[in-house]
């Protein structure tokens, strides 16, 4: 009689398999994210909004994109700006053979190069935060294009940074600047927006800086192969890291970058040897305890040829913590 009983282990395994399969199917059908931002542009594809004139893309701050302060580095945020600019061109159907070049630009071996960049940073996101980047383009001068960005916290809508830049065309073969052909202007014209991310431009002229007027200098900087983009010149974000190389560690430990204005003078080749110069200027608020600090920067070849000039403004890191804590109660130390 015992031998005629069914194999209960086999039956139990079959029931368990059926139960787990049903549970998995039910989970797939009824799955919902635990946090509203978990599916925020999960694949980072972005989309064109506002009558086809603005491109929007979300980024999740990864663990390898944060620094010692546990917040996203300025290079991370600048890479987000660059990525949205390129995806904007691609989504609009204007991506030619070059890196961000339109079809008519590719026919003429033309590429974009940045000449000016102005960035205002309100606060820095942390690991796991999702940032929302809006970007759009507009005309500037006779032969330039302006590109602007507005970055917000996806969950709160709080502004993280605003940025504006000026771009001109360069011949990829001769490395000389070029006028904007009418065919290219016709491609870009329908996407131009008369709107500025930064209304109050910093029109102050960047002072001349040399080894006699600088406070800090870092020599022997060289580009790596990975620093080059597909147009065979150093990516503009890399210059920002080099500029900050000459700032002392003690300064970076106690201050965070609040704004920067950059003027790109010349491109850098892969065999170049550079030096970074930084001069600390006057306090921005007359020496008050919560004062910001202004710095002048120069990135140049060792022969003295200027590559990038810049001005940065810094705020004490602890001032942000104090503002979040609110006023100190009366009578407390």
């Amino acid at each position: 009689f015992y031998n005629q009983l069914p194999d209960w282990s086999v039956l139990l395994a079959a029931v368990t398999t059926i139960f787990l399969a049903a549970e998995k199917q039910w989970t797939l059908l009824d799955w919902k994210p635990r946090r509203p931002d978990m599916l925020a542009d999960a694949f980072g594809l972005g989309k064109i909004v506002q009558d086809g004139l603005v491109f929007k893309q979300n980024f999740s701050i990864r663990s390898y994109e944060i620094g010692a302060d546990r917040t996203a580095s300025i290079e991370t945020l600048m890479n987000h700006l660059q990525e949205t600019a390129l995806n904007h061109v691609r989504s609009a159907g204007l991506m030619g053979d070059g890196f961000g070049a339109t079809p008519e630009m590719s026919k003429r071996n033309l590429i974009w190069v940045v000449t000016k960049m102005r960035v205002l940073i309100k606060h820095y996101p942390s690991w796991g935060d999702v940032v929302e980047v809006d970007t759009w383009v507009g005309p500037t001068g006779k032969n330039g294009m302006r590109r602007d960005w507005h970055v917000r916290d996806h969950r709160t809508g709080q502004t993280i940074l605003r940025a504006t830049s000026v771009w001109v065309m360069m011949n990829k073969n001769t490395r000389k600047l070029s006028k904007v052909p009418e065919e290219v202007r016709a491609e870009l014209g329908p996407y131009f927006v008369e709107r500025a991310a930064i209304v109050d431009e910093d029109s102050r002229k960047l002072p001349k800086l040399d080894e006699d007027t600088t406070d800090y200098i870092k020599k022997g900087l060289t580009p790596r192969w990975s620093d080059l983009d597909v147009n065979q010149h150093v990516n503009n974000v890399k210059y920002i890291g080099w500029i900050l190389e000459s700032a002392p560690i003690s300064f970076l430990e106690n201050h965070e970058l609040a704004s920067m204005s950059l003027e790109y003078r010349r491109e850098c080749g892969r065999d170049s040897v550079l030096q970074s110069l930084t001069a600390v200027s006057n306090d921005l608020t007359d020496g008050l305890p919560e004062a910001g600090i202004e710095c002048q920067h120069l990135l140049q070849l060792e022969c003295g040829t200027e590559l990038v000039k810049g001005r940065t403004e810094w705020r004490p890191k602890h001032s942000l913590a104090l503002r979040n804590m609110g006023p100190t109660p009366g009578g407390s130390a």
Side-chain angles (χ1 to χ4, degrees), residues 242-257:
W242 280 335
I243 284 174
L244 302 182
E245 278 285 330
S246 54
I249 295 297
S250 59
F251 179 81
L252 299 177
E253 286 177 339
N254 297 295
H255 298 82
E256 66 178 14
L257 184 64

Side-chain angles (χ1 to χ4, degrees), residues 158-230:
Q158 181 183 7
T159 294
I160 292 175
L161 70 79
R162 295 177 183 269
T164 187
S165 59
V166 175
W167 299 74
V168 296
M169 291 186 185
M170 171 188 285
N171 186 288
K172 186 177 181 179
N173 297 328
T174 65
R175 317 309 283 187
K176 293 182 179 180
L177 298 184
S178 170
K179 293 183 178 180
V180 179
E182 289 302 322
E183 293 82 358
V184 176
R185 198 180 301 275
E187 286 179 317
L188 299 174
Y191 298 94
F192 282 169
V193 182
E194 292 292 342
R195 169 186 168 192
I198 300 176
V199 178
D200 299 325
E201 291 285 345
D202 188 353
S203 59
R204 292 176 294 166
K205 186 177 180 180
L206 294 175
K208 185 175 180 59
L209 195 64
D210 54 39
E211 295 189 29
D212 295 328
T213 57
T214 190
D215 297 311
Y216 306 98
I217 185 169
K218 177 76 171 182
K219 296 185 178 182
L221 300 172
T222 56
R224 299 171 298 177
W225 174 254
S226 59
D227 295 328
L228 303 179
D229 61 25
V230 298

